[in-house]
Amino acid sequence: MFADDYDHRRLNTLSWIRYAAALSDDPVLLLPVGSHEQHGPHLPMGCDAILADAMAVRLAEKLDGLVLPVLSYGYKSQARSGGGEHIPGTISLDGASLTLQVRDILRGIFYHGVRKIVVLNGHAENQWFLTEAIDLALREALPARPDLHLIRCEYWKYTPQSTLEAVFEGLSPRLNPHYVALLETSMMLALKPDLVDMSAMPSDRSGQFPPHDAYPQTGEGVPPSGVLSPVSGASAKKGRRLIRDTVAAMAAGLGEALNE
Amino acid sequence: MFADDYDHRRLNTLSWIRYAAALSDDPVLLLPVGSHEQHGPHLPMGCDAILADAMAVRLAEKLDGLVLPVLSYGYKSQARSGGGEHIPGTISLDGASLTLQVRDILRGIFYHGVRKIVVLNGHAENQWFLTEAIDLALREALPARPDLHLIRCEYWKYTPQSTLEAVFEGLSPRLNPHYVALLETSMMLALKPDLVDMSAMPSDRSGQFPPHDAYPQTGEGVPPSGVLSPVSGASAKKGRRLIRDTVAAMAAGLGEALNE
Amino acid sequence: MFADDYDHRRLNTLSWIRYAAALSDDPVLLLPVGSHEQHGPHLPMGCDAILADAMAVRLAEKLDGLVLPVLSYGYKSQARSGGGEHIPGTISLDGASLTLQVRDILRGIFYHGVRKIVVLNGHAENQWFLTEAIDLALREALPARPDLHLIRCEYWKYTPQSTLEAVFEGLSPRLNPHYVALLETSMMLALKPDLVDMSAMPSDRSGQFPPHDAYPQTGEGVPPSGVLSPVSGASAKKGRRLIRDTVAAMAAGLGEALNE
Amino acid sequence: MFADDYDHRRLNTLSWIRYAAALSDDPVLLLPVGSHEQHGPHLPMGCDAILADAMAVRLAEKLDGLVLPVLSYGYKSQARSGGGEHIPGTISLDGASLTLQVRDILRGIFYHGVRKIVVLNGHAENQWFLTEAIDLALREALPARPDLHLIRCEYWKYTPQSTLEAVFEGLSPRLNPHYVALLETSMMLALKPDLVDMSAMPSDRSGQFPPHDAYPQTGEGVPPSGVLSPVSGASAKKGRRLIRDTVAAMAAGLGEALNE
Amino acid sequence: MFADDYDHRRLNTLSWIRYAAALSDDPVLLLPVGSHEQHGPHLPMGCDAILADAMAVRLAEKLDGLVLPVLSYGYKSQARSGGGEHIPGTISLDGASLTLQVRDILRGIFYHGVRKIVVLNGHAENQWFLTEAIDLALREALPARPDLHLIRCEYWKYTPQSTLEAVFEGLSPRLNPHYVALLETSMMLALKPDLVDMSAMPSDRSGQFPPHDAYPQTGEGVPPSGVLSPVSGASAKKGRRLIRDTVAAMAAGLGEALNE
Amino acid sequence: MFADDYDHRRLNTLSWIRYAAALSDDPVLLLPVGSHEQHGPHLPMGCDAILADAMAVRLAEKLDGLVLPVLSYGYKSQARSGGGEHIPGTISLDGASLTLQVRDILRGIFYHGVRKIVVLNGHAENQWFLTEAIDLALREALPARPDLHLIRCEYWKYTPQSTLEAVFEGLSPRLNPHYVALLETSMMLALKPDLVDMSAMPSDRSGQFPPHDAYPQTGEGVPPSGVLSPVSGASAKKGRRLIRDTVAAMAAGLGEALNE
């Protein structure tokens, strides 16, 4: 599923000898984190992991970095951001399970002497448990490793505003998270068109949520398709642009931050 | 990296709608579990995950099952089974982190109504933490789900003795774990030849260990290459036979067990 | 510090006999959650707890509910939302510690037969650990208590847009979290003017952050005062309006949600 | 609820700037720990937290210290010491939840450079989980902070015997924990008379318990009111004396211990 | 070390077949809990475990019960009750480790259908972590097992006052925990005289402690021998009486409680 | 139950003064770990603990070491190695509970300055949770204690092949774990003949298991007696030889390893 032209950037394709050699260049290591979450009737459940991985390998290419194996399971889907756990298919981790797993992975690469690390998040619900993992790993390591420099980044935060405006073709004067379905569908069409079922594209209206969150989640406010915003207008071309511009912006922003 | 002809068996390529439809057939779900571990100078560090995944998708094909995203990080490498943590490259989880992650994934698929599950292990060190995960998940779920039927399987336990004898061509009258390097190298040559560096094939003698384990691990007894047994004689042809025969035996054994 | 005209709404002022009597009315219980976090040179460190509690008691008055003792310690301050942990004064909990505490409190009130609960959050960083606490508590309780109805609410999400526009007097055509300092200062002037030091009001420019978060936090981008946005223009009058309008909107929104 | 003349001693009323300034005097920090527990039909459920906080602020006044926000939830009520969990109203934490919370708070103030700390306990059942929190925090911190000096104190252990004898007016030649209701009622009458319902004062006989504890707790041996000992004779005057004498004794004892 | 005439009461001497047969009589199961703690220069470090086990087997004889293997490690020694952790020799568990272990053991015997259980504690510091273990085990089990009846008992609470007065021969008009050394020494002389070194009997004065506890523990107030109270006058004869009378009182009290 | 001629090697028979004196000789400390597990109708449930302890004290005699109190509860019995949890009598710990307990004990003896430690395992299922305990303890301690040297040893791995061949008298050309019942029965006859019920010796055929493990465990493949392999031919004489030869081999192997 993840095969592409970037395999040489993936840590799991390297022997330890090659990795050991690469370490002498003080490389950036990138940990993409996804989820296994329903993404509507037209997109595969691995969508967030596929996108996080795709961003990571392209970013690694620009930063001359290496990419750790993607985490394929994330924190629990929430109604307003992912549709919620009530739709069959989503498989999620408890917050502590995700946090401990990431803390351990960070501990492992600290031990190898890695200094510059990007946790590249592709699933909104993961953010705070990744933050906690980074804090726990640093608390343990910092006394002996004051040189550590970690970044946690939700990749979509780096998509330029001008790119979004172009992608939405004036349909949306006020961009917000409710428009993510068009973005994800476009990027999946660019990356894995065979995994997108255009015939199943939903035509639901957007999800409607109050300013609070209610539990247990009943699916109230979530369209039957599980898709929270319109997807019409999605295209591979838009996807390519989104990926290209987002990666370029990340490369500039993170590259500068890591080399300070 | 995992792209192959079995993508239609992978849960992360399906939409939730297709998964929901598939659930009505009471399918077997398979969770491959690997590691990120040094495998010598000639094999990629993702070896265990690649092999566990490869076995799982082929087994799913025969059992008409579906495969969950592989777990790419496993329990800590031990000197006698994997060379140990002292070689840079290996990235491992604490036992509790691995256990909690697997418990959560099982909880998730129990919730979908899945009844038949195979945890397919590709890294010897994982075994007991997977066992614990299954026990914790069942303790929680069994009162309401007496129909659950889980299997934990180290795939190499199903490789037929006759296959092993053929593969070793009489070189080894007494087969044992010390011969795993030739098996893994052969299977990787069959599956991912571009990830095997034949020119880096080590010629160390086998690892030498006392009947106990000593800590902290210093690498004593582990050959400098990290490879614990001879690899000469490995071939793609042997690898294809190993995979084919092991999958066939698993399909027969697990298929019968799950349909009881 | 919390003394005001709403003590009769606070659970810790009631005897168990009065609480037991109140339970027969199927009351809403509100759990305000704050933090102990630097809020600049002019505001007290208990600011988030004071505001969450103030919102909760006023909301309880309207919903005829009862308020649990406020949680005075929250999750770790982040640079872009709270200034970060590097400024002396902030005292924070690990994510798991906060989650377990809230899970236990929820378990306790479930046991009393309470059915309608609002977790009223006053510290942005708490949100996901509260979400996890609610999920853990419900997982345990739901089988025997299908009647449970919980809401998690960040109070500022209910402040009407029209109120914000009035408060900012045209200074801010595009409202966003960077303007929270003026809101909090105004509300503190309305509630606890003696705890606000007008003479120490900072005149720093706003915090400046990239789209990612970097760790360990060094305070980069955070103004020396710890205040992330302008406070000039804050007034008790604006604070009173903010509180009044926010509570009214919450009462309408949550009241309806809980009585469905 | 906690408003009184001691607000200037409370850490949550200070800005971080004032706190940072105060730190240069090497101040004692006091963490009062209470509970949310039934205290009979006449006393509020926040009784232990109110008393622990009241002792802490008065002690801080004498030691020139600062008081952390009180912990309002404690460990599970036991029949012989608090009446037990069967009476509706009590809300308790698991031992681990309380321990982790206190460990985190201690870690936070260690980080600020605080050296002298008093954990002032107002709920008997908390004692051992506070002890464990202190041990865990010190295990982590001591290697880098050999200067740390912590004290855990149940405040009633410092009430002078002569004061107790005066308070009981010869009614009780052998003082013991069974007489705590009169003490707590008197001190609440002194501190928060409006929260004491004299008309609901119980006239039960004392609790009767065997030398062991039985579980699940059924309330056996606990009077119907939940009050474990006679309250008749309680008065605000006695309460004022109890508070004054206890604080004076603590100030002498702890002051000396912390300045060694 | 534990060999005596009571082996037939010990669960670890029975085959599962005999245990299964015994279960049909609805027997009491007893779990003795000790410690590995310094007990002065004259007593062995296993003292608390030896005494808890000795009490348990004798009590089992009277109640026709069975005794689980004693827990040989307990919670951390405290200065005033056990001398503290600073004296080399004591080996202690974190609170959570002790709690989880006991919870698991209780879960195990619940699963066998056992209904009546006594946790017989021989180390004061264990009490609250045993209480928590019982609570956690019951929370999990009670919904399906409303018949469970557990008792936690510190054995010394059942020593009759008249026995204590006889043992101290008028030396001590006001008995208190400070006199435990004479009791333990006498009982060890009765049970394991070869493990008591009369020549090393200390003649220190009693430990002297303030009403609070200070951490880190420095040994202040603890006599150099680690013995907290006088041992002179200890004798095997007194020990036999202490054991006999304590067991008789427990048999009466617990027997009645368990048969309610 | 554990009384024998080796009591002077047991740490719980020593006073702290004697232990402190012994520490100056840099002694090996041995921690035997057993289980409480069904061992068929003829053997006591404490079998693994008795054997681990017996090996440990004899090994201590040869290495001039000291033996910690045996752990009497182990990890969950598995069908193929111990018969499984479905047979009443077995009492097991969760993996984390066992791991934390052993980690704490190791921490304790590290604190005493002990440098050489053998964790001597008598229950196959414990192995990986002991490995994890050692890793967690070393991670915490190694920075300040680079001198630590730990060994984990399953004692049966040291039984010489020649001894096994002699014991089986040519009955078994291919020795494997399925023959453990004869070994354990023989050793118990040598050590504790009164705890072996020769009249209950089972005559079941061996357990029959597929190459995988199925859960929940139903006892499938496990003989009704719970004994997994033939016991006929067991004798005290064979047991004495097994113990003697195994201890001698361990003394040589571990002695050399620890003195490197």
Side-chain angles (χ1 to χ4, degrees), chain D residues 75-76 94 132 135 139 150 152 213 215, chain E residues 75-76 94 132 135 139 150 152 212-213 215:
Chain D
Y75 185 67
K76 296 157 192 170
D94 277 2
E132 177 69 342
D135 189 75
R139 181 196 293 162
L150 282 90
R152 196 210 71 252
D213 292 303
Y215 302 87
Chain E
Y75 185 67
K76 296 157 191 169
D94 277 1
E132 178 68 342
D135 190 73
R139 181 195 294 161
L150 282 90
R152 196 211 70 253
H212 63 260
D213 292 303
Y215 302 88

PDB file of all heavy atoms in Angstrom, chain D residues 75-76 94 132 135 139 150 152 213 215, chain E residues 75-76 94 132 135 139 150 152 212-213 215:
ATOM      1  N   TYR D  75      -9.220  10.166  48.958  1.00  0.00           N
ATOM      2  CA  TYR D  75      -9.348   8.713  48.825  1.00  0.00           C
ATOM      3  C   TYR D  75     -10.667   8.237  49.456  1.00  0.00           C
ATOM      4  O   TYR D  75     -11.285   8.920  50.264  1.00  0.00           O
ATOM      5  CB  TYR D  75      -8.154   7.994  49.475  1.00  0.00           C
ATOM      6  CG  TYR D  75      -8.230   6.515  49.233  1.00  0.00           C
ATOM      7  CD1 TYR D  75      -8.092   6.000  47.950  1.00  0.00           C
ATOM      8  CD2 TYR D  75      -8.512   5.631  50.271  1.00  0.00           C
ATOM      9  CE1 TYR D  75      -8.218   4.646  47.705  1.00  0.00           C
ATOM     10  CE2 TYR D  75      -8.626   4.275  50.029  1.00  0.00           C
ATOM     11  CZ  TYR D  75      -8.492   3.790  48.745  1.00  0.00           C
ATOM     12  OH  TYR D  75      -8.638   2.447  48.509  1.00  0.00           O
ATOM     13  N   LYS D  76     -11.016   7.022  49.111  1.00  0.00           N
ATOM     14  CA  LYS D  76     -12.325   6.448  49.457  1.00  0.00           C
ATOM     15  C   LYS D  76     -12.603   6.439  50.965  1.00  0.00           C
ATOM     16  O   LYS D  76     -11.801   5.948  51.753  1.00  0.00           O
ATOM     17  CB  LYS D  76     -12.378   5.018  48.914  1.00  0.00           C
ATOM     18  CG  LYS D  76     -12.301   4.977  47.394  1.00  0.00           C
ATOM     19  CD  LYS D  76     -11.797   3.654  46.845  1.00  0.00           C
ATOM     20  CE  LYS D  76     -11.472   3.803  45.362  1.00  0.00           C
ATOM     21  NZ  LYS D  76     -10.764   2.627  44.804  1.00  0.00           N
ATOM     22  N   ASP D  94      -9.604   6.848  43.111  1.00  0.00           N
ATOM     23  CA  ASP D  94      -8.767   5.671  43.294  1.00  0.00           C
ATOM     24  C   ASP D  94      -7.433   6.113  43.901  1.00  0.00           C
ATOM     25  O   ASP D  94      -6.986   7.254  43.686  1.00  0.00           O
ATOM     26  CB  ASP D  94      -8.482   5.010  41.935  1.00  0.00           C
ATOM     27  CG  ASP D  94      -9.615   4.103  41.489  1.00  0.00           C
ATOM     28  OD1 ASP D  94     -10.637   3.993  42.193  1.00  0.00           O
ATOM     29  OD2 ASP D  94      -9.478   3.485  40.416  1.00  0.00           O
ATOM     30  N   GLU D 132       2.819   7.951  49.393  1.00  0.00           N
ATOM     31  CA  GLU D 132       3.330   7.348  48.158  1.00  0.00           C
ATOM     32  C   GLU D 132       3.643   8.429  47.116  1.00  0.00           C
ATOM     33  O   GLU D 132       4.653   8.357  46.412  1.00  0.00           O
ATOM     34  CB  GLU D 132       2.297   6.357  47.604  1.00  0.00           C
ATOM     35  CG  GLU D 132       2.662   5.709  46.286  1.00  0.00           C
ATOM     36  CD  GLU D 132       3.827   4.730  46.350  1.00  0.00           C
ATOM     37  OE1 GLU D 132       4.592   4.776  47.320  1.00  0.00           O
ATOM     38  OE2 GLU D 132       3.979   3.931  45.412  1.00  0.00           O
ATOM     39  N   ASP D 135       6.888   9.958  47.974  1.00  0.00           N
ATOM     40  CA  ASP D 135       7.999   9.051  47.673  1.00  0.00           C
ATOM     41  C   ASP D 135       8.287   9.016  46.172  1.00  0.00           C
ATOM     42  O   ASP D 135       9.443   9.054  45.757  1.00  0.00           O
ATOM     43  CB  ASP D 135       7.688   7.639  48.187  1.00  0.00           C
ATOM     44  CG  ASP D 135       8.900   6.740  48.091  1.00  0.00           C
ATOM     45  OD1 ASP D 135       9.813   6.906  48.917  1.00  0.00           O
ATOM     46  OD2 ASP D 135       8.964   5.898  47.171  1.00  0.00           O
ATOM     47  N   ARG D 139      11.751  10.275  44.544  1.00  0.00           N
ATOM     48  CA  ARG D 139      12.601   9.308  43.818  1.00  0.00           C
ATOM     49  C   ARG D 139      13.066   9.909  42.494  1.00  0.00           C
ATOM     50  O   ARG D 139      14.222   9.761  42.107  1.00  0.00           O
ATOM     51  CB  ARG D 139      11.814   8.033  43.548  1.00  0.00           C
ATOM     52  CG  ARG D 139      12.638   6.979  42.829  1.00  0.00           C
ATOM     53  CD  ARG D 139      11.769   5.883  42.224  1.00  0.00           C
ATOM     54  NE  ARG D 139      11.121   5.101  43.256  1.00  0.00           N
ATOM     55  CZ  ARG D 139      10.062   4.332  43.026  1.00  0.00           C
ATOM     56  NH1 ARG D 139       9.513   4.267  41.819  1.00  0.00           N
ATOM     57  NH2 ARG D 139       9.521   3.645  44.006  1.00  0.00           N
ATOM     58  N   LEU D 150      10.364  17.791  52.513  1.00  0.00           N
ATOM     59  CA  LEU D 150       8.893  17.705  52.514  1.00  0.00           C
ATOM     60  C   LEU D 150       8.376  17.176  53.840  1.00  0.00           C
ATOM     61  O   LEU D 150       9.008  16.328  54.480  1.00  0.00           O
ATOM     62  CB  LEU D 150       8.407  16.758  51.404  1.00  0.00           C
ATOM     63  CG  LEU D 150       8.415  17.339  50.010  1.00  0.00           C
ATOM     64  CD1 LEU D 150       9.740  17.075  49.336  1.00  0.00           C
ATOM     65  CD2 LEU D 150       7.270  16.767  49.189  1.00  0.00           C
ATOM     66  N   ARG D 152       4.650  15.671  55.512  1.00  0.00           N
ATOM     67  CA  ARG D 152       3.225  15.333  55.396  1.00  0.00           C
ATOM     68  C   ARG D 152       2.655  15.363  56.800  1.00  0.00           C
ATOM     69  O   ARG D 152       3.207  14.746  57.719  1.00  0.00           O
ATOM     70  CB  ARG D 152       3.038  13.918  54.817  1.00  0.00           C
ATOM     71  CG  ARG D 152       1.620  13.642  54.311  1.00  0.00           C
ATOM     72  CD  ARG D 152       1.233  12.185  54.423  1.00  0.00           C
ATOM     73  NE  ARG D 152       1.039  11.844  55.817  1.00  0.00           N
ATOM     74  CZ  ARG D 152       1.853  11.096  56.520  1.00  0.00           C
ATOM     75  NH1 ARG D 152       2.914  10.550  55.984  1.00  0.00           N
ATOM     76  NH2 ARG D 152       1.609  10.876  57.802  1.00  0.00           N
ATOM     77  N   ASP D 213     -12.038  -4.749  59.085  1.00  0.00           N
ATOM     78  CA  ASP D 213     -12.900  -4.050  58.121  1.00  0.00           C
ATOM     79  C   ASP D 213     -13.473  -5.059  57.134  1.00  0.00           C
ATOM     80  O   ASP D 213     -12.735  -5.918  56.636  1.00  0.00           O
ATOM     81  CB  ASP D 213     -12.098  -2.986  57.360  1.00  0.00           C
ATOM     82  CG  ASP D 213     -11.663  -1.846  58.261  1.00  0.00           C
ATOM     83  OD1 ASP D 213     -12.531  -1.221  58.882  1.00  0.00           O
ATOM     84  OD2 ASP D 213     -10.445  -1.607  58.359  1.00  0.00           O
ATOM     85  N   TYR D 215     -15.748  -5.938  53.561  1.00  0.00           N
ATOM     86  CA  TYR D 215     -16.076  -5.412  52.229  1.00  0.00           C
ATOM     87  C   TYR D 215     -16.894  -6.440  51.475  1.00  0.00           C
ATOM     88  O   TYR D 215     -16.628  -7.630  51.606  1.00  0.00           O
ATOM     89  CB  TYR D 215     -14.786  -5.096  51.458  1.00  0.00           C
ATOM     90  CG  TYR D 215     -13.898  -4.121  52.159  1.00  0.00           C
ATOM     91  CD1 TYR D 215     -12.959  -4.559  53.086  1.00  0.00           C
ATOM     92  CD2 TYR D 215     -14.033  -2.751  51.937  1.00  0.00           C
ATOM     93  CE1 TYR D 215     -12.158  -3.648  53.757  1.00  0.00           C
ATOM     94  CE2 TYR D 215     -13.231  -1.833  52.611  1.00  0.00           C
ATOM     95  CZ  TYR D 215     -12.291  -2.291  53.516  1.00  0.00           C
ATOM     96  OH  TYR D 215     -11.501  -1.383  54.184  1.00  0.00           O
TER      97      TYR D 215
ATOM     98  N   TYR E  75       4.600  -2.819  51.548  1.00  0.00           N
ATOM     99  CA  TYR E  75       4.775  -1.404  51.218  1.00  0.00           C
ATOM    100  C   TYR E  75       5.938  -0.826  52.035  1.00  0.00           C
ATOM    101  O   TYR E  75       6.351  -1.353  53.054  1.00  0.00           O
ATOM    102  CB  TYR E  75       3.486  -0.615  51.471  1.00  0.00           C
ATOM    103  CG  TYR E  75       3.635   0.808  51.024  1.00  0.00           C
ATOM    104  CD1 TYR E  75       3.774   1.107  49.673  1.00  0.00           C
ATOM    105  CD2 TYR E  75       3.713   1.846  51.935  1.00  0.00           C
ATOM    106  CE1 TYR E  75       3.980   2.411  49.237  1.00  0.00           C
ATOM    107  CE2 TYR E  75       3.907   3.153  51.508  1.00  0.00           C
ATOM    108  CZ  TYR E  75       4.047   3.431  50.165  1.00  0.00           C
ATOM    109  OH  TYR E  75       4.257   4.712  49.737  1.00  0.00           O
ATOM    110  N   LYS E  76       6.364   0.349  51.586  1.00  0.00           N
ATOM    111  CA  LYS E  76       7.569   0.987  52.108  1.00  0.00           C
ATOM    112  C   LYS E  76       7.519   1.247  53.620  1.00  0.00           C
ATOM    113  O   LYS E  76       6.575   1.845  54.123  1.00  0.00           O
ATOM    114  CB  LYS E  76       7.768   2.321  51.365  1.00  0.00           C
ATOM    115  CG  LYS E  76       8.021   2.111  49.887  1.00  0.00           C
ATOM    116  CD  LYS E  76       7.676   3.321  49.035  1.00  0.00           C
ATOM    117  CE  LYS E  76       7.685   2.946  47.560  1.00  0.00           C
ATOM    118  NZ  LYS E  76       7.113   3.987  46.688  1.00  0.00           N
ATOM    119  N   ASP E  94       6.303  -0.480  45.481  1.00  0.00           N
ATOM    120  CA  ASP E  94       5.467   0.695  45.281  1.00  0.00           C
ATOM    121  C   ASP E  94       4.026   0.335  45.649  1.00  0.00           C
ATOM    122  O   ASP E  94       3.609  -0.835  45.528  1.00  0.00           O
ATOM    123  CB  ASP E  94       5.496   1.117  43.806  1.00  0.00           C
ATOM    124  CG  ASP E  94       6.714   1.973  43.472  1.00  0.00           C
ATOM    125  OD1 ASP E  94       7.550   2.222  44.364  1.00  0.00           O
ATOM    126  OD2 ASP E  94       6.818   2.395  42.312  1.00  0.00           O
ATOM    127  N   GLU E 132      -7.215  -0.778  48.992  1.00  0.00           N
ATOM    128  CA  GLU E 132      -7.435  -0.399  47.594  1.00  0.00           C
ATOM    129  C   GLU E 132      -7.529  -1.639  46.698  1.00  0.00           C
ATOM    130  O   GLU E 132      -8.364  -1.699  45.787  1.00  0.00           O
ATOM    131  CB  GLU E 132      -6.287   0.510  47.123  1.00  0.00           C
ATOM    132  CG  GLU E 132      -6.350   0.941  45.665  1.00  0.00           C
ATOM    133  CD  GLU E 132      -7.486   1.894  45.326  1.00  0.00           C
ATOM    134  OE1 GLU E 132      -8.444   1.991  46.098  1.00  0.00           O
ATOM    135  OE2 GLU E 132      -7.413   2.529  44.259  1.00  0.00           O
ATOM    136  N   ASP E 135     -10.919  -3.058  47.057  1.00  0.00           N
ATOM    137  CA  ASP E 135     -11.911  -2.233  46.378  1.00  0.00           C
ATOM    138  C   ASP E 135     -11.868  -2.446  44.860  1.00  0.00           C
ATOM    139  O   ASP E 135     -12.912  -2.578  44.216  1.00  0.00           O
ATOM    140  CB  ASP E 135     -11.693  -0.753  46.703  1.00  0.00           C
ATOM    141  CG  ASP E 135     -12.849   0.101  46.217  1.00  0.00           C
ATOM    142  OD1 ASP E 135     -13.922   0.037  46.836  1.00  0.00           O
ATOM    143  OD2 ASP E 135     -12.702   0.784  45.180  1.00  0.00           O
ATOM    144  N   ARG E 139     -14.908  -4.012  42.741  1.00  0.00           N
ATOM    145  CA  ARG E 139     -15.565  -3.196  41.705  1.00  0.00           C
ATOM    146  C   ARG E 139     -15.744  -4.018  40.426  1.00  0.00           C
ATOM    147  O   ARG E 139     -16.779  -3.954  39.772  1.00  0.00           O
ATOM    148  CB  ARG E 139     -14.712  -1.964  41.406  1.00  0.00           C
ATOM    149  CG  ARG E 139     -15.340  -1.063  40.357  1.00  0.00           C
ATOM    150  CD  ARG E 139     -14.350  -0.056  39.796  1.00  0.00           C
ATOM    151  NE  ARG E 139     -13.930   0.896  40.802  1.00  0.00           N
ATOM    152  CZ  ARG E 139     -12.832   1.652  40.709  1.00  0.00           C
ATOM    153  NH1 ARG E 139     -12.050   1.547  39.645  1.00  0.00           N
ATOM    154  NH2 ARG E 139     -12.513   2.500  41.647  1.00  0.00           N
ATOM    155  N   LEU E 150     -15.429 -10.112  51.931  1.00  0.00           N
ATOM    156  CA  LEU E 150     -13.999 -10.006  52.240  1.00  0.00           C
ATOM    157  C   LEU E 150     -13.770  -9.260  53.545  1.00  0.00           C
ATOM    158  O   LEU E 150     -14.517  -8.330  53.884  1.00  0.00           O
ATOM    159  CB  LEU E 150     -13.270  -9.241  51.130  1.00  0.00           C
ATOM    160  CG  LEU E 150     -12.971 -10.039  49.870  1.00  0.00           C
ATOM    161  CD1 LEU E 150     -14.118  -9.912  48.891  1.00  0.00           C
ATOM    162  CD2 LEU E 150     -11.668  -9.583  49.237  1.00  0.00           C
ATOM    163  N   ARG E 152     -10.468  -7.445  55.696  1.00  0.00           N
ATOM    164  CA  ARG E 152      -9.054  -7.091  55.857  1.00  0.00           C
ATOM    165  C   ARG E 152      -8.796  -6.885  57.330  1.00  0.00           C
ATOM    166  O   ARG E 152      -9.535  -6.148  58.002  1.00  0.00           O
ATOM    167  CB  ARG E 152      -8.723  -5.795  55.113  1.00  0.00           C
ATOM    168  CG  ARG E 152      -7.215  -5.562  54.894  1.00  0.00           C
ATOM    169  CD  ARG E 152      -6.829  -4.094  54.865  1.00  0.00           C
ATOM    170  NE  ARG E 152      -6.973  -3.527  56.190  1.00  0.00           N
ATOM    171  CZ  ARG E 152      -7.917  -2.697  56.550  1.00  0.00           C
ATOM    172  NH1 ARG E 152      -8.833  -2.294  55.695  1.00  0.00           N
ATOM    173  NH2 ARG E 152      -7.992  -2.255  57.794  1.00  0.00           N
ATOM    174  N   HIS E 212       4.368  14.880  62.797  1.00  0.00           N
ATOM    175  CA  HIS E 212       4.345  14.828  61.337  1.00  0.00           C
ATOM    176  C   HIS E 212       5.384  13.829  60.834  1.00  0.00           C
ATOM    177  O   HIS E 212       6.161  13.283  61.623  1.00  0.00           O
ATOM    178  CB  HIS E 212       4.641  16.220  60.760  1.00  0.00           C
ATOM    179  CG  HIS E 212       6.007  16.726  61.097  1.00  0.00           C
ATOM    180  ND1 HIS E 212       6.247  17.637  62.128  1.00  0.00           N
ATOM    181  CD2 HIS E 212       7.231  16.450  60.593  1.00  0.00           C
ATOM    182  CE1 HIS E 212       7.536  17.886  62.204  1.00  0.00           C
ATOM    183  NE2 HIS E 212       8.157  17.174  61.294  1.00  0.00           N
ATOM    184  N   ASP E 213       5.399  13.589  59.524  1.00  0.00           N
ATOM    185  CA  ASP E 213       6.436  12.761  58.909  1.00  0.00           C
ATOM    186  C   ASP E 213       7.226  13.613  57.926  1.00  0.00           C
ATOM    187  O   ASP E 213       6.632  14.362  57.138  1.00  0.00           O
ATOM    188  CB  ASP E 213       5.808  11.575  58.162  1.00  0.00           C
ATOM    189  CG  ASP E 213       5.162  10.594  59.112  1.00  0.00           C
ATOM    190  OD1 ASP E 213       5.856  10.083  60.003  1.00  0.00           O
ATOM    191  OD2 ASP E 213       3.943  10.347  58.976  1.00  0.00           O
ATOM    192  N   TYR E 215      10.229  13.947  54.832  1.00  0.00           N
ATOM    193  CA  TYR E 215      10.833  13.212  53.712  1.00  0.00           C
ATOM    194  C   TYR E 215      11.823  14.123  52.998  1.00  0.00           C
ATOM    195  O   TYR E 215      11.546  15.311  52.877  1.00  0.00           O
ATOM    196  CB  TYR E 215       9.750  12.756  52.730  1.00  0.00           C
ATOM    197  CG  TYR E 215       8.716  11.886  53.370  1.00  0.00           C
ATOM    198  CD1 TYR E 215       7.593  12.448  53.980  1.00  0.00           C
ATOM    199  CD2 TYR E 215       8.869  10.501  53.404  1.00  0.00           C
ATOM    200  CE1 TYR E 215       6.649  11.641  54.607  1.00  0.00           C
ATOM    201  CE2 TYR E 215       7.927   9.694  54.020  1.00  0.00           C
ATOM    202  CZ  TYR E 215       6.815  10.272  54.618  1.00  0.00           C
ATOM    203  OH  TYR E 215       5.890   9.477  55.232  1.00  0.00           O
TER     204      TYR E 215
END
